[in-house]
């Protein structure tokens, strides 16, 4: 398990996700230049200091305002969203969700650090990312799909998350369809951006590995 | 994370004892407030049925408070209308006395006819078979409906004065017949009236409700049923606080399964309740139309249709009540004027039976599939046993709440087992 934010590859500027503390794929080849890589990763992936959520935020709605998913929502919409949100606290090492299980909620990290991992066929846990506030994760579970989690999430230290359940969001689509529409669009945008980030990371690794090769080889799957 | 140490035997015993004590205390408290269970359940179920209306109004930018106020005003207006209609039907004391006189005469006349007591004092074989059980009931009905000496004096005064109503002669004849019937039964008082306060030898004990005044009974009912509108209002006002508070108590590993189970329960119960409510309304309307068609006055038809529709919350009871109240009305009413040309006054009862059967068929073939669909489909045997069992165990609350309870339990068990398996918890 990488301890420092050095396991990252720089990607295109402007392509960032709020709260993505470190992207742990692809695997690092040079672990001696952690500090330099860490600085580089923070410059690319780390959220601007002013967008980091207040870990002790008292007002739910004001916390939700800082989340990328909800940045386009007005005060009334945020208040309505706060009515269907559930705050959950997890101990160090406690599982938030597990790979292979169904999922019905999306999570927004309010305080603490969450580690995203994927279990390989041989049983080894492959770390994928660590998240810090105000990151959101498992958005697909809220988009009306029958989701089976493809990763696991575990608390690193005490963690507080805000969970939004799919049934409550479905009910919201009936009572406040405009709000539900805004959320869905934002969810789709975040999901697409996350996919692009991962693909760019994979391509960057491919280029770095053998920059002298003429034709570009397709990125190898991890 | 350090593994949690296994609990000691003392801890296990203590926790088990605390759980049992908590359960016993909970059951004792529930038993103590059992008179509130039905009003709370009715208020909660009504709130559940009306919740989509409130959220629907919110969608059109009506605030929740205003939406609830509007809904409450609609209910209040409907209740006021019903009360005023009932009161207008029996608005004066003389109308009440007329009604009781007519009703008592019809009951005695039909009983005499049915048991053959007009032609022979020994009556028919049926009478000889059942009279020991039925006579006390008829005595009780006579005692209840008979006018007291003071009431009879007012009745006679109203129907013997110069400006008496047109049907006074008929009513006076009924009154004489009633008095003779009371004398035959040994229930008439020497002053010439009913015998409500004189116990008959065939009665084992006086009715318990006569020990309390109407005001005390009303106060008792209000003190418990005031809970129903209170629960109704506060549940409608809730914007998710109750659900959030409940989920706070759930451990993290059960959080998502609990969300799924709650969603399944909401779908099952909500669909069933709203479907049943709509079915009751439509059934009541259909029966009201039927009653009007066979000649029952429109006010009575609406009232009886409403009653039959309301009792349809208990499965299979709605049509039975419709048949009973319809036949009772035709049995006791003075004159029937059917609207349909093929329905004759003499055959109203038969047409009523046919009509109720047709409405029941319409309900089963069209209303239920359309309105209820697949919502909480229960096997008819489960429904019958559940309703009867609920009635035996808990009386009227058991009859009313049996089917919703079975629906909730069925949805909970099937959803919980599915989710626990899916999340790897069992």
């Amino acid at each position: 398990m990488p301890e420092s934010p050095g396991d990252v590859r720089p990607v295109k500027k402007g392509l960032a996700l709020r709260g993505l503390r470190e992207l742990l794929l692809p695997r690092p080849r040079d672990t001696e230049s952690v500090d330099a890589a860490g600085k580089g990763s923070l410059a690319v992936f780390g959220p601007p200091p002013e967008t980091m959520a207040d870990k002790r935020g008292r007002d739910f709605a004001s916390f939700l305002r800082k989340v990328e998913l909800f940045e386009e929502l007005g005060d009334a919409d945020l208040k309505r969203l706060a009515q269907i949100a559930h705050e959950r606290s997890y101990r160090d090492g406690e599982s938030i969700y597990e790979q292979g299980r169904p999922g019905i909620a999306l999570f927004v990290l309010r305080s603490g650090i969450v580690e995203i991992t994927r279990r390989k066929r041989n049983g080894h846990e492959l770390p994928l990312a660590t998240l810090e506030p105000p990151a959101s994760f498992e958005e697909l579970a809220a988009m009306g799909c029958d989701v089976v989690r493809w990763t696991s999430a575990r608390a690193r230290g005490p963690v507080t998350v805000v969970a939004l359940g799919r049934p409550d969001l479905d009910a919201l689509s009936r009572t406040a369809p405009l709000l539900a529409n805004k959320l869905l669009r934002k969810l789709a945008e975040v999901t697409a951006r996350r996919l692009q980030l991962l693909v760019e990371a994979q391509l960057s690794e491919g280029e770095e590995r053998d920059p002298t090769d003429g034709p570009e080889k397709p990125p190898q799957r991890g | 994370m350090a593994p949690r140490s296994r609990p000691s035997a003392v801890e296990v015993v203590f926790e088990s004892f605390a759980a049992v004590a908590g359960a016993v205390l909970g059951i004792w408290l529930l038993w103590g407030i059992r008179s509130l269970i039905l009003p709370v359940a009715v208020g909660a179920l009504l709130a559940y049925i009306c919740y989509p209306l409130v959220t629907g109004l919110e969608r059109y930018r009506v605030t929740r408070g205003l939406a609830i106020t509007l809904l409450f005003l609609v209910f209040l207006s409907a209740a006021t209308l019903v009360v005023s209609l009932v009161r207008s039907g029996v608005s004066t004391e003389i109308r009440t006395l007329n009604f009781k006189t007519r009703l008592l005469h019809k009951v005695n006349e039909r009983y005499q006819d049915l048991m053959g007591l007009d032609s022979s004092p020994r009556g028919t074989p049926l009478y000889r078979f059942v009279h020991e059980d039925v006579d006390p009931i008829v005595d009780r009905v006579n005692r209840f409906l008979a006018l007291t000496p003071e009431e009879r004096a007012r009745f006679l005064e109203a129907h013997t004065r110069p400006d008496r109503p047109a049907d006074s002669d008929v009513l006076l004849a009924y009154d004489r017949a009633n008095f003779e019937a009371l004398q035959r039964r040994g229930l008439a008082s020497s002053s010439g009236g009913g015998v409500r306060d004189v116990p008959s030898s065939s009665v084992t004990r006086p009715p318990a409700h006569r020990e309390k005044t109407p005001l005390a009974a009303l106060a008792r009912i209000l003190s418990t049923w005031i809970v129903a509108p209170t629960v109704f209002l506060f549940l409608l006002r809730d914007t998710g606080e109750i659900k959030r508070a409940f989920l706070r108590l759930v451990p993290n590993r059960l959080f998502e399964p609990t969300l799924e189970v709650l969603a399944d329960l909401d779908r099952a119960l909500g669909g069933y309740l709203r479907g049943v409510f709509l079915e009751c309304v439509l059934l009541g309307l259909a029966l009201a139309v039927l009653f009007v068609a066979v000649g029952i006055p429109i006010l009575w038809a609406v009232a009886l249709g409403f009653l039959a529709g309301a009792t349809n919350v208990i499965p299979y009871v709605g049509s039975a009540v419709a048949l009973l109240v319809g036949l009772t009305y035709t049995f006791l009413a003075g004159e029937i004027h059917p609207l349909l040309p093929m329905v004759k006054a003499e055959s109203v009862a038969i047409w009523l039976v046919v009509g109720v059967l047709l409405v029941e068929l319409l309900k089963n073939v069209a209303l239920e599939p359309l309105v209820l669909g697949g919502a909480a489909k229960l096997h008819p045997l489960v429904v019958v046993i559940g309703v009867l069992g609920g009635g035996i165990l808990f009386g009227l609350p058991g009859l009313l709440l049996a089917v919703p309870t079975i629906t909730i339990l069925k949805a909970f068990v099937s959803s919980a087992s599915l989710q626990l398996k899916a999340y790897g918890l069992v």
Side-chain angles (χ1 to χ4, degrees):
Chain A
M1 177 65 213
E3 292 292 331
S4 64
D7 306 328
V8 297
R9 291 287 178 269
V11 294
K12 278 185 184 174
K13 282 188 182 176
L15 186 69
L17 284 168
R18 203 176 296 172
L20 176 60
R21 190 185 195 196
E22 52 182 339
L23 186 65
L24 301 169
L25 273 182
R27 281 204 167 278
R29 286 163 50 225
D30 181 8
T31 57
E32 291 178 359
S33 59
V34 163
D35 290 341
K39 285 178 190 168
S41 71
L42 278 175
V44 177
F45 291 103
E50 63 271 18
T51 63
M52 282 184 71
D54 178 12
K55 291 176 186 178
R56 304 285 177 200
R58 291 184 208 100
D59 187 5
F60 230 42
S62 61
F63 162 71
L64 291 177
R65 193 176 290 117
K66 296 176 179 124
V67 180
E68 188 174 4
L69 269 181
F70 313 130
E71 62 188 3
E72 291 176 9
L73 302 182
D75 287 343
D77 289 339
L78 287 171
K79 201 175 162 191
R80 185 167 288 207
L81 213 58
Q83 288 171 354
I84 62 170
H86 305 276
E87 194 167 15
R88 310 294 303 183
S89 299
Y90 296 84
R91 299 185 306 271
D92 180 32
E94 191 175 357
S95 172
I96 297 171
Y97 61 82
E98 290 190 10
Q99 180 179 335
R101 302 295 179 205
I104 199 177
L106 82 86
F107 299 96
V108 179
L109 185 52
R110 190 166 185 184
S111 69
I113 303 288
V114 166
E115 179 185 85
I116 309 291
T117 60
R118 178 166 168 85
R119 189 172 56 249
K120 297 198 294 187
R121 284 198 195 93
N122 58 12
H124 290 154
E125 292 275 346
L126 180 68
L128 295 183
T130 55
L131 306 175
E132 62 183 5
S136 61
F137 50 107
E138 285 302 303
E139 292 85 353
L140 275 179
M143 287 175 78
C145 318
D146 283 331
V147 163
V148 175
R149 309 276 195 201
W150 65 283
T151 58
S152 301
R154 192 159 280 109
R156 198 198 289 181
V159 158
T160 307
V161 299
V162 172
L164 289 165
R166 188 170 69 221
D168 297 317
L169 291 168
D170 286 344
L172 200 67
S173 66
R174 290 190 293 273
T175 58
L178 289 177
L179 168 59
N181 196 31
K182 283 184 206 172
L183 277 177
L184 274 177
R185 278 193 291 113
K186 201 65 187 176
L187 280 169
E189 182 190 318
V190 165
T191 307
R193 198 153 13 116
R194 191 165 290 149
L195 179 64
Q196 190 178 357
L197 199 68
L198 287 170
V199 169
E200 288 286 341
Q202 287 283 348
L203 288 175
S204 299
E205 183 207 11
E207 285 166 5
E208 199 172 290
R209 189 169 287 153
D210 201 351
T212 59
D213 276 356
E216 199 172 279
K217 292 178 186 171
Q220 292 182 6
R221 293 176 186 261
Chain B
M1 187 172 71
R4 199 176 162 196
S5 59
R6 296 180 71 174
S8 66
V10 173
E11 283 175 354
V12 169
V13 168
F14 178 75
E15 282 174 8
S16 306
F17 178 75
V20 169
V24 168
L25 181 67
I27 292 170
W28 179 74
L29 284 173
L30 266 180
W31 183 253
I33 58 167
R34 64 189 182 279
S35 59
L36 291 179
I37 290 176
L38 185 59
V40 167
V42 167
L45 291 176
L46 275 177
Y48 204 84
I49 291 169
C50 296
Y51 197 78
L53 291 174
V54 171
T55 51
L57 285 173
E58 275 191 309
R59 209 173 148 174
Y60 293 101
R61 303 194 183 272
V62 176
T63 61
R64 184 170 281 254
L66 182 61
I68 294 170
T69 307
L70 286 172
L71 198 62
F72 205 66
L73 285 175
V74 165
F75 275 125
L76 202 59
S77 308
T80 308
L81 184 67
V82 166
V83 167
S84 66
L85 281 173
V86 168
R87 285 185 66 186
S88 68
V90 189
S91 60
T92 62
E93 187 199 9
I94 291 299
R95 277 202 196 176
T96 308
L97 299 179
N98 292 348
F99 177 74
K100 285 163 75 173
T101 302
R102 191 190 303 275
L103 189 61
L104 182 59
H105 178 258
K106 289 287 180 185
V107 166
N108 288 330
E109 186 185 53
R110 297 282 194 235
Y111 185 68
Q112 295 279 98
D113 285 342
L114 191 64
M115 298 299 172
L117 293 169
D118 288 336
S119 50
S120 160
R122 291 188 66 231
T124 59
L126 175 65
Y127 176 74
R128 289 195 288 277
F129 184 67
V130 301
H131 79 275
E132 284 187 7
D133 294 315
V134 177
D135 272 349
I137 297 171
V138 178
D139 281 348
R140 199 173 291 176
V141 170
N142 272 264
R143 193 175 298 107
F144 182 76
L145 292 174
L147 305 181
T148 62
E150 296 80 20
E151 287 174 340
R152 190 159 183 254
R154 286 197 291 275
F155 173 84
L156 290 172
E157 192 268 335
H159 290 289
T160 51
R161 63 188 183 207
D163 59 340
R164 60 190 186 179
D167 59 349
S168 289
D169 291 336
V170 172
L171 288 168
L172 286 172
Y174 287 169
D175 176 68
R176 278 194 294 278
N178 289 344
F179 189 70
E180 285 164 13
L182 289 171
Q183 281 182 321
R184 274 200 305 276
R185 294 188 162 275
L187 301 177
S189 71
S190 55
S191 55
V195 288
R196 286 196 204 145
D197 299 327
V198 177
S200 160
S201 58
S202 61
V203 173
T204 54
R205 56 179 175 84
H209 70 271
R210 296 205 180 278
E211 294 169 7
K212 294 185 179 165
T213 64
L215 195 60
L218 185 66
R220 183 176 53 80
I221 291 168
L222 278 179
S223 65
T224 48
W225 278 91
I226 195 69
V227 167
T230 311
V231 166
F232 175 75
L233 278 173
F234 279 99
L235 284 182
L236 278 184
R237 272 194 70 231
D238 177 63
T239 52
E241 290 94 355
I242 295 174
K243 184 175 174 181
R244 282 202 302 279
F246 172 72
L247 283 168
R248 255 181 242 125
L249 302 173
V250 170
N252 285 328
R253 66 194 177 97
L254 293 179
F255 171 66
E256 283 187 285
T258 306
L259 276 184
E260 298 245 35
V261 169
L262 288 178
D264 290 339
L265 281 179
D266 182 46
R267 260 192 299 275
L269 187 63
Y272 176 77
L273 285 179
R274 285 168 208 129
V276 165
F277 181 75
L278 195 56
E279 188 191 61
C280 290
V281 167
L282 293 174
L283 187 75
L285 279 173
L287 288 168
V289 167
L290 170 68
F291 291 148
V292 167
V294 298
I296 296 176
I298 191 163
L299 278 181
W300 280 107
V302 167
L304 296 178
F306 175 80
L307 176 66
T311 51
N312 191 58
V313 294
I314 305 171
Y316 312 116
V317 170
S319 297
V321 166
L323 205 57
L324 185 67
V325 297
L327 287 174
T328 305
Y329 185 89
T330 55
F331 171 74
L332 298 172
E335 293 200 4
I336 298 279
H337 302 288
L339 289 183
L340 299 173
M342 70 284 259
V343 179
K344 306 293 177 206
E346 301 79 30
S347 58
V348 161
I350 297 169
W351 283 104
L352 196 66
V353 170
V354 169
V356 169
L357 287 174
L358 282 174
V359 169
E360 178 70 16
L361 188 66
L362 176 75
K363 185 192 92 171
N364 289 329
V365 169
L367 283 185
E368 267 186 17
L370 276 173
V371 163
L372 282 174
K377 199 71 184 152
L378 296 174
H379 194 278
L381 195 60
V382 170
V383 171
V384 169
I385 293 175
V387 170
L388 289 177
I392 290 167
L393 289 173
F394 303 109
L396 180 62
L399 283 174
L400 291 174
L401 300 178
V403 176
T405 306
I406 295 170
T407 304
I408 291 172
L409 283 174
K410 183 189 167 206
F412 175 76
V413 167
S414 63
S415 178
S417 63
L418 193 68
Q419 298 310 323
L420 288 175
K421 280 181 199 158
Y423 282 87
L425 296 167
V426 293

